[in-house]
Structure formats: C-alpha cells, structure tokens
Amino acid sequence: MRVRLFSRLDEGDGLMKGKQLFAATAALTVGLAGLTACGGGSDGGSGDSGGKVTLSVWHNATTGPGGDWWTKAGADFEAAHPNVKVELQVVQNEDYDGKLQTALNAGEAPDIFMQRGGGKMAAMAKAGQLMDLADSVTPETKSVINEAAFKPGTIDGKLYSMPLTVLPGGFFYSKDLFAKAGVTTPPATITELQAAVEKLKATKVAPIALGGKDAWPAAHYYYFFAVRECSAATITDTAKNLSFTDPCWVKAAERLKALADSKPFNEGFLTTSAQQGAGSSAGLVANHKAAMELMGAWDAGVIGSLTPDAKPLADLDWFPFPSVEGGAGDPGAMLGSVGGNSCWAKAPKAECTAFLNFLATTPLQEGYYRAFQAPPVNSKAQAVVTEPYLKSVIEAFNKAPFVSEWLDTVYGQNIGNALNTSVVDLLAGKTDAPGIVKAVQSAAKKA
C-alpha cells in the first residue's frame, strides 16, 4: 500500500469570512497509536514485502528549513508508527497543477496532495477524485483549529481539505529601504503607494519586485484591485454565475494599468521568476535590490531563504494592500487562503487521515511556523509567533470583514489561467483593461 503526499504552502477553497480564525482554543494531542498496519489492502497503493506501509511525500520546499521540516515530520511519524515508511520528494511549485491534473486524469494521483481549493477543488470533488475527511478529523484537531478554517475545504457538508496554514496576502517590505527613501509609514491608500514608489525610485532601488514570468504573482495585483473595486457580494456571486458583467471588473484592470504606467516594478519583471534564486522577485527583496513585494504570507520564509546568510531578513515588515477611493469593496477586505491537503478518493483512509491529523498537532505546527515563517493554522501554535510582520498579518486577517481566496482559485482553472495570462498581457502592452474581462468571459463560456 502506498500513501503519497503532494504539498505546497498555499490555497484552500472558495470565499471565507475570516474574523474568528485565530481564536485561542484548548491544547491538542493526537492519539494515533491505534493506527493499524495494512500492507496491500483494498484501498489502493502498494506495500513492501514486509507489509510496511510506504508514505511517499511530495512537497515544494526546495530550499532552506522548509525541507527540513518535512523530513522531520516524516521521521517523527515513522517513530510513532513503526509500520510506516515515509518517502519524500520535492516538486517545484510552478509544476504542481500540471503534474497533479495529469496524475488525476490517469487514475494515478498521489494519495495525499496539496489542495488549492475553490473551483479547482470543486471540479475534483465533482469528478469523485477526493475523499471526504469530515468523519476523520479528531477531537484533538478540532480543539485547536477554529471551525472557520475548515470552511474553505468544505463543499455541501463534505470536508475535502484538512487545513495546515493560513496565508493571507499583502506587501512585504524592507524597513531600511523605506526609511532611506523617506517613506516613514506604510502606504494606506493607492495614492500613498504611488508617492512611495516615486521616493523609492530616487534611491535607485526597484520600488516593487514582481516575478511576472510565473504570471500568478502579476495577477495578484488585479485580484486585490478587484476586491477593492467590487463588493463582497459581487466577488461571491461571480463564483456562481461566472458573468463578470459588473463594471468593477474593468475598473480593477484600469487601476492596475494606472499603477503599471508609473513603472514601479523591477527591470525585466516580465522575465523574472517569483521564488527561485537571488534574481527572483523574492530574492530582490531579500538582497535589498527591491523595496517590497505583494505576495501571500509564505513569502517571509522564501525571502529568508534567499538572503546572503539564508536567515530571516532583519528589517522585514508587512502592510495590507492599500485602499482605493470610491471602490465598492471594503477597505479591509483581504485575499488569502487556508492552505491544506486532500486525500485521493482511492487512498487508504486510515493512514491518509492519520498523517493529516499528525500535521495539525501543536509541535508540528510550531515547527511549521519556524521553518516557513508563515502563520500556522493551529491556534495554540500561533501563540509562539514573535515576528512583528507575522503578527501584523494575523491581526489584519482577524479584523478583515471579508476574505476571498485567490481569484484564480475561486473561479476555477480555465478562468484562472485566462486571468493570469491576460494580466501579464496587460503589463506587456498586449491588451487593455476591457481586454482582461473579455478574455475571462471567453474562458467562462468554455468552463
């Protein structure tokens, strides 16, 4: 029997009201001692000749402490379950969607994999490719993970994704570079952001790092402008009707075009990767070549892994995406996700769910925070967070009146790909603001 895990740092499901996610709850201990060894059962997978269960773990922690965390998680699980062998394999984040879809289509999916949620998860559930985890969440897990964190992974009462981390988006920035440019407070409005961009240009650093080569980081700007220009109801309703007829969608693209026209990004941003090496957008921030980057909460750990000494950036801080004047969206609304993992429908249920509950325990969650510099979903583990920027992330997320998943996740893969591609085309001068909406509407018809 083989249990395979495919993991990444982000995404959950759909749209979420986020105020209660970080509430303190009781301590967590997971009793897994009763897990029964089962080699070559009827649930799928394969076992070795000795009947030992193999858990093949795929993750995307290509550098730094993240990979060490997965290694320790596997070793600790093996120690608690002598009948289990954990095998780890790194999968590059940008290759994830294609590899997983191919495996699902071929009926050879990993038994456990990272779940992006939204329309993508809904499609998998509709195709019968996901296991319902609702009856497998232990009382101990429920005691330290707020009920709201399970909602993104739930469809029609069935839980398809076990939460692992919370990953809202915003700007990570260098306090030293801001101070050098005379930017004394984080921008609270788009007007203030554009003023900060001009001051930073004068210091000969890139005001904003952007990994446009990977497309989705560029699309984050359109997503955030959309939740500022569009009401929460429009964002939610569009996930159902896929119409994109509200004028706010074009207004969001016009906002992005106006920002891009101020030339705030690093030179060559369309060919810059997001998270791979010192020349990536995260690497530019890590090495003080750029002042800030709009990204999910996992970015702090990526930036830390790309500094010259591979340690957290000492002057790193964070602020939420600025407000816009006259938009229908709430100024405090956020984009983000509850990162989680799913079990393939054919996976061996006992081993699969035991491992997911194990990843939710307080020691593992505390280690996750330290390794990835990202907020854990376990409320008891959240108490050990010390970095001011992560505390700011948590505070803003808790206060947010509305939290949407990343829009390429909310609206499904076809529309998501169209969104990401058309945003890059806008930044490259190949389309205009209405062109983004036309591309999305065309993809919606196919969806």
Side-chain angles (χ1 to χ4, degrees):
M1 180 180 302
R2 170 164 288 182
V3 183
R4 292 167 289 183
L5 177 72
F6 204 145
S7 182
R8 188 191 157 203
L9 288 180
D10 58 8
E11 326 298 51
D13 167 62
L15 304 165
M16 175 176 62
K17 302 290 183 182
K19 288 186 176 180
Q20 301 297 321
L21 188 56
F22 293 91
T25 53
L28 172 64
T29 56
V30 175
L32 299 173
L35 182 62
T36 304
C38 53
S42 61
D43 288 326
S46 61
D48 61 27
S49 60
K52 204 169 205 179
V53 178
T54 298
L55 293 100
S56 178
V57 178
W58 293 8
H59 65 84
N60 78 330
T62 56
T63 59
D68 296 337
W69 180 84
W70 280 109
T71 299
K72 187 176 187 304
D76 288 350
F77 192 78
E78 287 179 344
H81 307 87
N83 66 299
V84 177
K85 180 182 179 182
V86 177
E87 293 181 349
L88 298 166
Q89 179 179 340
V90 178
V91 178
Q92 177 59 43
N93 176 55
E94 279 65 35
D95 296 334
Y96 168 77
D97 281 348
K99 286 182 179 292
L100 179 59
Q101 193 61 54
T102 297
L104 287 168
N105 291 345
E108 299 177 352
D111 290 309
I112 308 176
F113 51 89
M114 193 287 303
Q115 181 53 253
R116 294 192 189 275
K120 295 177 182 179
M121 185 179 76
M124 294 176 193
K126 184 177 181 180
Q129 296 167 332
L130 303 179
M131 181 185 296
D132 181 9
L133 309 172
D135 64 352
S136 300
V137 182
T138 66
E140 292 81 9
T141 296
K142 291 179 180 178
S143 73
V144 290
I145 298 180
N146 190 276
E147 182 179 355
F150 291 100
K151 291 181 180 179
T154 301
I155 299 176
D156 296 331
K158 295 183 177 181
L159 179 66
Y160 293 118
S161 179
M162 183 79 84
L164 179 68
T165 183
V166 287
L167 298 164
F171 278 99
F172 286 91
Y173 74 99
S174 162
K175 291 187 290 186
D176 289 351
L177 293 182
F178 267 44
K180 183 178 179 181
V183 181
T184 57
T185 58
T189 68
I190 289 299
T191 299
E192 291 177 3
L193 178 65
Q194 291 174 322
V197 163
E198 295 307 314
K199 290 181 178 180
L200 287 161
K201 284 181 183 178
T203 66
K204 307 302 181 183
V205 300
I208 302 176
L210 176 58
K213 178 182 178 181
D214 295 323
W216 56 266
H220 283 178
Y221 286 88
Y222 180 68
Y223 303 162
F224 268 102
F225 279 125
V227 298
R228 292 290 178 266
E229 287 290 350
C230 302
S231 69
T234 296
I235 297 290
T236 304
D237 291 344
T238 302
K240 302 173 184 177
N241 56 43
L242 302 180
S243 66
F244 297 93
T245 55
D246 192 293
C248 68
W249 296 107
V250 173
K251 289 181 180 178
E254 291 171 345
R255 290 279 190 184
L256 173 56
K257 180 65 164 58
L259 176 64
D261 285 347
S262 71
K263 301 188 183 303
F265 304 124
N266 50 290
E267 184 177 352
F269 67 89
L270 289 173
T271 57
T272 299
S273 65
Q275 300 176 142
Q276 303 170 44
S280 66
S281 57
L284 294 177
V285 176
N287 293 278
H288 281 173
K289 299 295 180 63
M292 57 183 137
E293 179 179 32
L294 178 65
M295 191 58 68
W298 63 84
D299 201 34
V302 178
I303 291 171
S305 72
L306 296 173
T307 59
D309 59 2
K311 294 181 179 180
L313 187 65
D315 67 320
L316 190 67
D317 212 336
W318 180 92
F319 63 91
F321 194 86
S323 64
V324 302
E325 184 178 354
D330 192 290
M334 296 187 74
L335 283 158
S337 61
V338 176
N341 294 291
S342 292
C343 290
W344 187 33
K346 297 181 180 179
K349 188 169 186 176
E351 289 76 16
C352 181
T353 57
F355 194 79
L356 295 186
N357 278 294
F358 179 71
L359 296 181
T361 60
T362 300
L364 268 292
Q365 285 276 293
E366 289 178 351
Y368 183 94
Y369 146 67
R370 294 188 178 99
F372 291 104
Q373 292 296 292
V377 73
N378 178 311
S379 59
K380 187 173 182 180
Q382 289 167 8
V384 304
V385 172
T386 59
E387 292 82 1
Y389 48 85
L390 290 184
K391 288 184 176 181
S392 295
V393 169
I394 293 172
E395 180 182 2
F397 197 70
N398 279 337
K399 290 181 178 179
F402 173 74
V403 179
S404 169
E405 267 290 350
W406 307 108
L407 298 190
D408 56 346
T409 297
V410 173
Y411 301 135
Q413 187 165 347
N414 287 341
I415 294 174
N417 288 343
L419 271 172
N420 295 350
T421 300
S422 60
V423 168
V424 172
D425 286 345
L426 177 74
L427 296 178
K430 297 179 180 180
T431 191
D432 56 12
I436 289 182
V437 177
K438 290 178 182 177
V440 171
Q441 289 173 332
S442 176
K445 292 178 181 179
K446 296 176 183 179

